Amino acid sequence: MVKVKTLILRAPGTNCDQETAYAFQQAGAATSLVHVNQLIRREEHLFSYQILVVPGGFTYGDDISAGKVLANELRLKLGEDIRGFVDRGGLVLGICNGLQVLVKAGILPGIDSGKEPKITLAANDSGRFECRWVYLRVNEESPCLFTQGISRLYLPVANGEGKVVADSETLARLNVVLSYTDEDGNTSPGYPYNPSGSVADIAGICDSSGRIFALMPHPERHLRGTQHPRWTREGAKEHGDGFQIFLNAVNWAKKSL
Amino acid sequence: MHRIEVFLKEQMPDARGLGLVRDIHDLGISSVSGVRVVDIYWLDADLTADTLELICRRLLADPVTQEYQYDKPHRYSQDKSADNCHSIEVAYNAGVTDPVEATVTKAVDDLGISEVRAIKTARRYLIQGELDGPQLATICDKLLVNPIIQHVVTEEPVAFPETPQYEFSLKELDIGEAGEQFSFSEDETRAITVYFRKLGRRPTDVELETLAQTWSEHCVHKTFKARIKLNEEVIDSLIKNTIMKVTEELGKPWCLSVFSDNAGAIDFDGAWALCFKVETHNHPSAIEPYGGAATGIGGVVRDPLGTGLGAKPILNTDVFCFAPPDFPHHKLPKGVLHPRRIFKGVRAGVADYGNRLGIPTLNGAVLFDERYLANPLIFCGTLGLLPKELAPRGEQQPGDLVVLVGGRTGRDGIHGVTFASEQLTEESSTASFSAVQIGNPIVEKKVIDTLLQARDRRLYSRVTDCGGGGLSSAVGEMGAVTGVRVYLDRVPLKYAGLSYTEIWISESQERMVLAVPPEKSSELLELFAREDVEAVVIGEFTDDKRLKLFYQENQVGDLDMDFLHHGIPQVSREATWTPPRHPEPDFDCPDDLGEALLGILSSWNVCSKEWVIRQYDHEVQGASVLKPLVGKENDGPGDAAIIRPVLGSETGAIVACGINPRYGEIDPYWMAASAIDEALRQIIAVGGDLSRVALLDNFCWGDVREPEILGALVRAARACYDMALVYETPFISGKDSLYNEFEYQGRVISIPHTLLISALGVMEDVSRAVSMDFKQPDDLIYIVGTTQDELGGSEYLRLNGFTGNRVPRVNPHQAKRTMERLSLATSWGLVRACHDLSEGGLGVAVSEMAFAGGLGALVHLKPVPLGEPISRDDAVLFSESNSRFLVEVAPEKETDFREVMRGVRLAAIGQVTDSTRLEIYGLAGRKILVESLKELKEAWQKPLRW
């Protein structure tokens, strides 16, 4: 059987590539870890893949601002390739640093033509790196195909610059997929439930097609029951909350094979 | 030359600035209402306005949150003091390599702009509030500027330094005169003199440097290998008679590589091996906490990477010892940084480096004692994973090439090794500036990524890390069995002007050395080049057993490997040991012990370290099973960390640590025994067992030329042997850091004897893990193990101003039986929660279990099994006797639990309740303590809620 092929993009400072690849493999996809240099030098091509993933990490040290340097590299050197990939129905997933990169590259909230982004990721209000688990509500009206059939998620975040910032006009047009809640699902939960101070408690967004999706929390860190911080109290389920996201992506991509 | 300023828009909160405001208030300066931080970039180029716009708009400034300006006077210039805005610009000193500069250079090039010659960064702080000159100076001095690496910019524009030149000339030295400069002992000087007299020539500077590095305490552990006379007894090599001996005697087949490589390695599951190493980075962290700690992490991560044929770093541990954060500023000796600043700097350095490398920090401890004031201890450990067949150290063949991989070489850390083996003085912070460097984690990450690819393609025959002593140690050691020639002018440099000797001993970070068969070199070099990692052939291995160094066409060094590695004369030392007597506590047991319990919970040593833990990524790599914070609200103190290092396998690795320097003030023997017991207890508490546990030792001691201090070291090392032998837990690696003392106004302040024991265990099935939080009302609370009247060195006595003398001892035979039984009970699913008893004893353990589980508890002291008659409630509640656990058992499992635990002293002492309080009844059945969970937790969380 032909497998869905997933390209996990690597760059200097990427550090969640292997567990992200593992997540896609568990969901039934074949994966390749591809360095950004390989794409730029045309040793590898996006058109060989159905899913492109920008995983978590600190690309180029997050120097200047998180994800900025890789974002420019994608925009300036691979912009056309990515546009073509998306136009042909490819899926794009960004996790943590991946969200920062996709937003700053202008690929999210939707691929524009070189216009300056109206949305960004800024330093957490706490001024600190925050590693903690968060409760998320899925906007079931969003077109996001990665979150189909999911209503709530419990995932870890680990970032220093996870605060979504956008003006109200941009916000109104934004396809919000995930927002932070408290443990009971209530909105406007405040810190630490919204660990970064994101505007409108936004934790993940997608484009209008629902095929480009990125989020600050790490679904690849909750694939199995024993990754839940309280599995020793509450029991371990076979799959963690994050698994369905990868399964949805692979199943969707399978249809287009 | 262009100057670009990037700053947040007025309405955006400045998170960096807010953090600084908190720090300024901590200094006692309350008039500051706000700080804004401006990033400054100096570009050495002649650019058009359009190009500058492009750089600002598309690279340096975020269009949503930031604004920029270029080539204009400061937006907020000094004369703004009218409305109380003070402006301070801080830049790095010449010679300090700022990683951001390299990134910006690359990113500017990506924009298609190639005419920028150099870039420098700086930061401008705009401080809002009424401040006088001295206050501003204090803020600069205490928070903004570390003169070791930074300075306040007063002159504009920033000058880009001229490229310095180096003209070769061979330096020969007279050993008699040079001996002192290199800190050689008399015996060493004599040995070197004899060696060169035989050759009939004078040594060159690089030869003496090589000997100094190779023979330093840091590299050869002279003291641990010394001939020590203790009373009438002579110990020929302490390490061979204790730590290494026990490993040899135990002969565990799962020990794959011990004491011979950069880290010790054990068999994990038949297919994979784990290797583990803990290092200290004390002296550099004392003078520049951020950079010192960051390079500490960077250094220890390269140990597993340089073990066997290279292991992937999968877990970090950090243990810090500082002076109390509330130490009065005015009592601070000159040249010493405040403990709070050291703590914050170290934490930030570890987090920034460790997080960027993508290695989870899952275990650690933070301890406080005033004697760590000028000598903080920074232990960094890394666990690595590699295929089992690659665990033994590699071997090169004559003809294999020496390949240097990773970062460039600068004047960083020159003499770091000899520095680490010396006493700090008031002048250290200015004299040792070259010993500190700023790490570049992304360079190291790139090295890890590419090196492991090269490993999997078997492109090299041996690997080692470039750490203390630089190339001198790394290449010198690798070449010991064959011989090696090195061409020093081929080493890529950060900047020109380094002499051949500086190149050879530089401790620049992020470098690894490989031995590469010539036929594989082109594939290897190509692999590194593909991901922009510099890799250069700098020499070749020979078969003449000599170390030969060349610079351009000149031979600058030629040493016999046998002399280099075995020519060091054995040190002889005297040791004595007089047991100290501390005043016996003479206070009465309070009627209500609630206040004492709250006091212990909020002591610096016991209180929650969540502030530290959350700023480390402990989830990256997706392997965590038991995290450092556990319980109902994910904030209880977990005992040991468990990970599943091989994704898709159920086998777990457990990492734990034990340390308690306060016991060492009474008897270092029992301190060491307690540390081992504590580390093992934690492994048992989370559901592990003793069948495959390996230990690491890290001794941090004072000046061992003092016989009493050396005597204490001997006692501690002997306990390591005695305990490990019974527990059957071999040592696989270790490290010592000696001469940790500080001279201040003619008085020598020595650190407490400090031994960190790190333990690595293997767990067959992680689904058997248990956490320490209470889980179910009406469950029974069992205490396992025997309580003695052992308050010596306890937190309780410290709170009351005493040390005492009844230090906790260990009966390892009994302890082992207890642990084995308890492991069995856990693996049978009979244990719902388990917590080991350590600082603060039963009182602290039951409080932590209760508030972590969000459940109350009712406890009676009367049934607690005692090893000797005890009449005081406080002694039972707060005794720190070893080998004890609190266990939550479901009523329906009680019979089975007692059956499995047969032969072990234990008792049901109460139950978990659905109330919101902890109630404790004393030996006479009287209520001695009632506290609400909320108050207990608040006391525990408050001190470090920074």
Side-chain angles (χ1 to χ4, degrees):
Chain A
M1 199 186 81
V2 187
K3 279 192 170 181
V4 168
K5 287 177 75 180
T6 303
L7 184 153
I8 316 281
L9 185 70
R10 288 175 53 236
T14 300
N15 65 28
C16 303
D17 44 330
Q18 297 195 4
E19 55 269 39
T20 305
Y22 177 74
F24 275 99
Q25 289 158 16
Q26 290 302 103
T31 59
S32 302
L33 302 177
V34 176
H35 197 278
V36 65
N37 286 353
Q38 291 173 276
L39 286 178
I40 292 171
R41 292 171 193 160
R42 309 284 165 204
E43 296 162 11
E44 278 277 354
H45 300 277
L46 279 177
F47 57 67
S48 320
Y49 297 87
Q50 288 83 48
I51 305 175
L52 164 66
V53 187
V54 186
F58 288 80
T59 47
Y60 297 101
D62 278 358
D63 296 339
I64 304 172
S65 83
K68 183 70 173 231
V69 177
L70 181 59
N72 268 351
E73 211 168 14
L74 295 189
R75 185 171 63 85
L76 296 165
K77 300 186 173 173
L78 295 167
E80 282 311 305
D81 300 37
I82 293 171
R83 180 182 296 275
F85 175 78
V86 172
D87 286 348
R88 278 192 308 277
L91 306 188
V92 181
L93 174 64
I95 301 170
C96 194
N97 197 235
L99 170 63
Q100 294 161 337
V101 169
L102 293 178
V103 163
K104 292 175 187 183
I107 295 168
L108 271 176
I111 294 189
D112 51 36
S113 42
K115 279 181 296 187
E116 279 182 5
K118 294 269 193 293
I119 171 173
T120 194
L121 278 297
N124 295 339
D125 279 349
S126 67
R128 291 191 292 264
F129 187 92
E130 297 275 351
C131 180
R132 56 173 80 245
W133 284 68
V134 293
Y135 298 91
L136 300 161
R137 193 181 52 146
V138 178
N139 174 8
E140 289 171 42
E141 273 151 38
S142 96
C144 181
L145 60 95
F146 292 83
T147 52
Q148 293 299 307
I150 307 174
S151 54
R152 306 263 290 264
L153 288 164
Y154 188 48
L155 300 174
V157 294
N159 63 65
E161 296 181 38
K163 178 183 175 173
V164 175
V165 181
D167 59 31
S168 50
E169 193 192 327
T170 312
L171 271 182
R173 286 185 285 115
L174 209 55
N175 285 297
V176 175
V177 182
L178 300 175
S179 45
Y180 300 108
T181 69
D182 67 12
E183 55 269 68
D184 301 319
N186 297 313
T187 52
S188 310
Y191 180 84
Y193 295 104
N194 173 352
S196 304
S198 275
V199 61
D201 300 310
I202 295 171
I205 57 175
C206 69
D207 75 332
S208 55
S209 75
R211 287 184 286 115
I212 311 179
F213 168 52
L215 69 170
M216 280 318 291
H218 286 273
E220 82 284 10
R221 298 183 186 181
H222 194 190
L223 298 178
R224 304 160 66 96
T226 54
Q227 288 171 317
H228 190 293
R230 294 187 303 275
W231 72 270
T232 54
R233 305 176 60 83
E234 297 167 7
K237 287 186 273 183
E238 190 192 346
H239 288 298
D241 286 5
F243 182 64
Q244 191 65 38
I245 289 178
F246 301 99
L247 204 58
N248 282 346
V250 174
N251 286 341
W252 202 92
K254 227 179 246 170
K255 287 188 285 187
S256 66
L257 275 179
Chain B
M1 181 77 70
H2 302 282
R3 180 180 190 280
I4 299 170
E5 284 192 355
V6 179
F7 40 91
L8 284 163
K9 290 179 179 169
E10 291 282 355
Q11 74 275 15
M12 291 296 302
D14 188 328
R16 284 184 295 184
L18 288 172
L20 267 172
V21 171
R22 281 195 296 267
D23 290 342
I24 292 171
H25 290 172
D26 283 346
L27 290 175
I29 301 172
S30 53
S31 56
V32 169
S33 57
V35 176
R36 314 263 313 164
V37 185
V38 179
D39 288 309
I40 292 164
Y41 303 88
W42 290 94
L43 274 52
D44 184 12
D46 303 302
L47 304 172
T48 63
D50 280 354
T51 308
L52 283 164
E53 277 290 329
L54 181 69
I55 291 173
C56 291
R57 235 183 44 236
R58 307 278 359 198
L59 179 64
L60 298 180
D62 188 297
V64 182
T65 56
Q66 293 175 316
E67 292 174 44
Y68 58 85
Q69 64 174 33
Y70 49 86
D71 297 348
K72 284 186 188 159
H74 314 313
R75 183 181 162 88
Y76 302 87
S77 55
Q78 309 255 357
D79 59 24
K80 263 212 156 185
S81 58
D83 51 340
N84 283 323
C85 182
H86 308 270
S87 164
I88 292 167
E89 186 167 322
V90 179
Y92 287 115
N93 298 340
V96 175
T97 327
D98 172 13
V100 178
E101 291 166 9
T103 308
V104 178
T105 307
K106 177 229 160 22
V108 167
D109 192 65
D110 281 349
L111 290 173
I113 301 158
S114 54
E115 54 268 48
V116 178
R117 291 178 291 270
I119 290 169
K120 281 183 83 67
T121 65
R123 221 169 248 183
R124 178 166 285 271
Y125 300 93
L126 305 163
I127 305 168
Q128 198 72 42
E130 217 165 296
L131 292 172
D132 58 22
Q135 283 175 318
L136 201 57
T138 302
I139 293 172
C140 272
D141 181 40
K142 302 273 181 202
L143 297 173
L144 304 183
V145 184
N146 186 337
I148 306 299
I149 53 164
Q150 295 159 315
H151 62 277
V152 173
V153 179
T154 47
E155 268 179 52
E156 309 264 359
V158 165
F160 284 85
E162 303 266 308
T163 306
Q165 288 305 316
Y166 167 71
E167 297 241 345
F168 173 78
S169 76
L170 186 67
K171 249 170 100 179
E172 290 180 325
L173 298 173
D174 187 274
I175 172 68
E177 286 162 27
E180 199 170 320
Q181 175 197 336
F182 291 99
S183 326
F184 289 124
S185 71
E186 271 178 42
D187 283 353
E188 289 163 2
T189 307
R190 203 170 305 125
I192 296 168
T193 310
V194 170
Y195 175 79
F196 282 99
R197 195 170 291 154
K198 255 191 232 159
L199 295 180
R201 67 172 175 89
R202 293 200 301 166
T204 66
D205 58 342
V206 76
E207 286 171 334
L208 287 183
E209 286 283 7
T210 306
L211 287 164
Q213 302 287 335
T214 312
W215 292 4
S216 69
E217 183 72 59
H218 183 88
C219 292
V220 282
H221 311 289
K222 285 186 252 202
T223 302
F224 266 90
K225 292 178 183 165
R227 196 179 161 79
I228 298 173
K229 196 160 167 286
L230 176 67
N231 302 326
E232 294 311 304
E233 194 188 350
V234 173
I235 306 159
D236 186 5
S237 177
L238 186 57
I239 190 161
K240 283 193 185 142
N241 281 287
T242 55
I243 313 271
M244 286 166 81
K245 187 175 169 193
V246 69
T247 302
E248 202 182 307
E249 286 179 10
L250 289 171
K252 294 290 182 191
W254 43 265
C255 284
L256 301 176
S257 172
V258 294
F259 299 109
S260 61
D261 209 337
N262 289 311
I266 65 165
D267 188 349
F268 175 58
D269 62 357
W272 294 90
L274 291 173
C275 60
F276 196 17
K277 181 62 172 275
V278 176
E279 287 262 16
T280 50
H281 218 57
N282 304 334
H283 287 38
S285 306
I287 57 172
E288 211 292 275
Y290 180 88
T295 50
I297 281 285
V300 77
V301 164
R302 290 192 301 275
D303 278 325
L305 193 62
T307 296
L309 282 184
K312 179 189 174 191
I314 57 168
L315 177 149
N316 281 344
T317 72
D318 299 295
V319 175
F320 308 143
C321 301
F322 301 121
D326 51 1
F327 189 88
H329 276 280
H330 66 272
K331 282 169 77 182
L332 210 57
K334 188 174 155 269
V336 171
L337 299 177
H338 191 270
R340 191 183 278 259
R341 185 176 184 189
I342 297 183
F343 188 0
K344 286 191 169 185
V346 164
R347 189 219 53 75
V350 168
D352 281 0
Y353 208 102
N355 289 349
R356 276 174 171 72
L357 288 183
I359 303 169
T361 301
L362 273 151
N363 189 252
V366 191
L367 292 96
F368 299 91
D369 186 296
E370 282 202 4
R371 287 163 296 170
Y372 295 121
L373 184 66
N375 252 290
L377 303 182
I378 312 301
F379 301 88
C380 303
T382 301
L383 184 69
L385 177 75
L386 77 169
K388 185 183 162 187
E389 71 271 17
L390 303 184
R393 199 173 69 182
E395 275 177 28
Q396 77 275 17
Q397 297 296 319
D400 282 3
L401 304 172
V402 184
V403 176
L404 178 60
V405 178
R408 292 191 157 210
T409 300
R411 214 166 261 123
D412 314 295
I414 284 180
H415 290 149
V417 157
T418 40
F419 173 57
S421 311
E422 280 165 19
Q423 192 188 65
L424 286 172
T425 65
E426 285 174 47
E427 285 80 43
S428 293
S429 56
T430 44
S432 26
F433 64 92
S434 72
V436 180
Q437 49 188 321
I438 301 201
N440 188 336
I442 298 309
V443 171
E444 181 137 319
K445 176 70 173 129
K446 281 161 57 173
V447 170
I448 296 170
D449 290 350
T450 44
L451 191 93
L452 294 177
Q453 292 177 45
R455 176 197 75 183
D456 291 340
R457 292 206 226 155
R458 306 288 190 271
L459 294 180
Y460 55 83
S461 50
R462 188 167 170 188
V463 57
T464 197
D465 69 306
C466 225
L471 287 172
S472 165
S473 295
V475 181
E477 215 166 284
M478 265 178 122
V481 289
T482 50
V484 67
R485 295 160 68 92
V486 181
Y487 308 97
L488 293 168
D489 49 301
R490 296 188 192 168
V491 173
L493 302 180
K494 289 183 179 177
Y495 32 78
L498 269 71
S499 74
Y500 59 88
T501 301
E502 287 176 311
I503 295 169
W504 181 237
I505 62 168
S506 157
E507 294 184 5
S508 285
Q509 294 285 305
E510 293 103 21
R511 300 179 302 163
M512 299 292 290
V513 180
L514 304 176
V516 181
E519 69 275 13
K520 292 182 176 167
S521 70
S522 65
E523 187 182 346
L524 178 107
L525 297 177
E526 197 181 309
L527 186 153
F528 285 113
R530 213 171 62 189
E531 300 195 7
D532 304 325
V533 178
E534 211 157 3
V536 176
V537 178
I538 61 163
E540 69 257 343
F541 292 96
T542 59
D543 57 3
D544 61 4
K545 301 211 165 77
R546 300 195 76 80
L547 172 69
K548 290 187 175 172
L549 302 176
F550 298 87
Y551 186 83
Q552 291 158 356
E553 301 299 301
N554 313 285
Q555 178 164 315
V556 295
D558 178 9
L559 287 170
D560 178 13
M561 285 291 189
D562 191 52
F563 177 67
L564 179 60
H565 293 290
H566 307 290
I568 181 172
Q570 190 183 25
V571 174
S572 285
R573 293 262 157 86
E574 293 276 329
T576 54
W577 169 249
T578 326
R581 284 303 298 173
H582 300 282
E584 277 298 331
D586 58 359
F587 59 92
D588 293 331
C589 181
D591 287 340
D592 186 313
L593 289 170
E595 199 183 320
L597 178 60
L598 292 169
I600 298 174
L601 285 170
S602 55
S603 68
W604 290 117
N605 284 335
V606 173
C607 76
S608 170
K609 308 300 185 298
E610 183 171 350
W611 175 79
V612 183
I613 296 167
R614 291 238 177 268
Q615 298 188 65
Y616 297 149
D617 191 341
H618 46 266
E619 300 283 0
V620 63
Q621 299 195 13
S624 76
V625 173
L626 214 54
K627 306 169 203 298
L629 296 166
V630 297
K632 190 180 177 206
E633 292 174 327
N634 304 342
D635 57 5
D639 282 318
I642 306 179
I643 57 168
R644 262 182 327 113
V646 182
L647 295 175
S649 151
E650 293 308 313
T651 311
I654 313 176
V655 173
C657 66
I659 180 170
N660 197 327
R662 288 184 55 79
Y663 300 160
E665 286 169 47
I666 303 170
D667 190 339
Y669 183 91
W670 295 115
M671 171 184 81
S674 298
I676 292 172
D677 192 75
E678 183 184 12
L680 298 179
R681 283 195 313 264
Q682 293 175 359
I683 287 192
I684 302 304
V686 297
D689 62 54
L690 291 179
S691 65
R692 191 170 295 193
V693 176
L695 302 178
L696 305 184
D697 62 277
N698 282 85
F699 289 86
C700 284
W701 238 250
D703 186 347
V704 286
R705 287 167 301 197
E706 286 286 328
E708 278 290 311
I709 292 181
L710 184 59
L713 186 72
V714 172
R715 279 191 71 74
R718 287 194 159 158
C720 289
Y721 171 83
D722 293 346
M723 297 298 138
L725 190 67
V726 180
Y727 287 120
E728 296 187 59
T729 51
F731 285 89
I732 56 169
S733 183
K735 196 94 193 186
D736 54 276
S737 163
L738 309 177
Y739 308 102
N740 285 289
E741 56 180 36
F742 181 76
E743 208 184 309
Y744 173 53
Q745 294 181 341
R747 209 158 57 92
V748 172
I749 303 167
S750 183
I751 61 157
H753 314 310
T754 309
L755 170 63
L756 169 67
I757 295 289
S758 307
L760 166 64
V762 176
M763 185 175 193
E764 257 175 51
D765 178 5
V766 295
S767 71
R768 288 288 164 214
V770 285
S771 55
M772 49 69 71
D773 45 309
F774 282 147
K775 297 184 177 74
Q776 185 72 42
D778 300 327
D779 275 0
L780 301 158
I781 301 171
Y782 266 85
I783 186 166
V784 173
T786 311
T787 301
Q788 311 268 358
D789 188 359
E790 290 177 326
L791 281 172
S794 67
E795 280 298 320
Y796 179 65
L797 286 196
R798 190 195 53 76
L799 193 71
N800 286 284
F802 289 92
T803 299
N805 297 293
R806 304 178 64 99
V807 69
R809 298 178 172 226
V810 180
N811 177 333
H813 299 280
Q814 223 172 64
K816 190 178 181 216
R817 181 167 177 78
T818 304
M819 291 181 185
E820 284 172 346
R821 292 275 127 190
L822 189 52
S823 295
L824 204 58
T826 310
S827 71
W828 287 10
L830 305 176
V831 171
R832 192 114 74 180
C834 183
H835 197 20
D836 86 300
L837 271 59
S838 55
E839 288 94 338
L842 168 58
V844 165
V846 73
S847 305
E848 289 176 342
M849 292 176 88
F851 60 63
L855 292 168
L858 184 67
V859 170
H860 299 272
L861 298 186
K862 200 166 168 22
V864 172
L866 304 178
E868 59 191 319
I870 308 178
S871 56
R872 289 175 63 131
D873 288 327
D874 54 358
V876 177
L877 190 60
F878 299 125
S879 164
E880 297 184 5
S881 289
N882 284 297
S883 322
R884 296 183 304 155
F885 301 86
L886 278 186
V887 180
E888 177 185 357
V889 180
E892 67 273 19
K893 302 271 174 76
E894 188 183 15
T895 316
D896 288 347
F897 177 72
R898 295 190 74 110
E899 178 62 29
V900 173
M901 295 300 291
R902 200 154 30 162
V904 172
R905 289 196 73 186
L906 51 74
I909 56 166
Q911 65 219 66
V912 181
T913 66
D914 58 5
S915 78
T916 55
R917 51 179 199 279
L918 171 66
E919 265 179 81
I920 301 180
Y921 292 83
L923 293 165
R926 193 176 56 80
K927 192 186 278 187
I928 55 167
L929 185 155
V930 187
E931 294 292 339
S932 75
L933 297 183
K934 207 176 150 199
E935 229 172 302
L936 292 167
K937 193 169 178 177
E938 176 64 17
W940 180 71
Q941 289 187 326
K942 201 176 163 209
L944 276 178
R945 196 185 279 140
W946 285 357

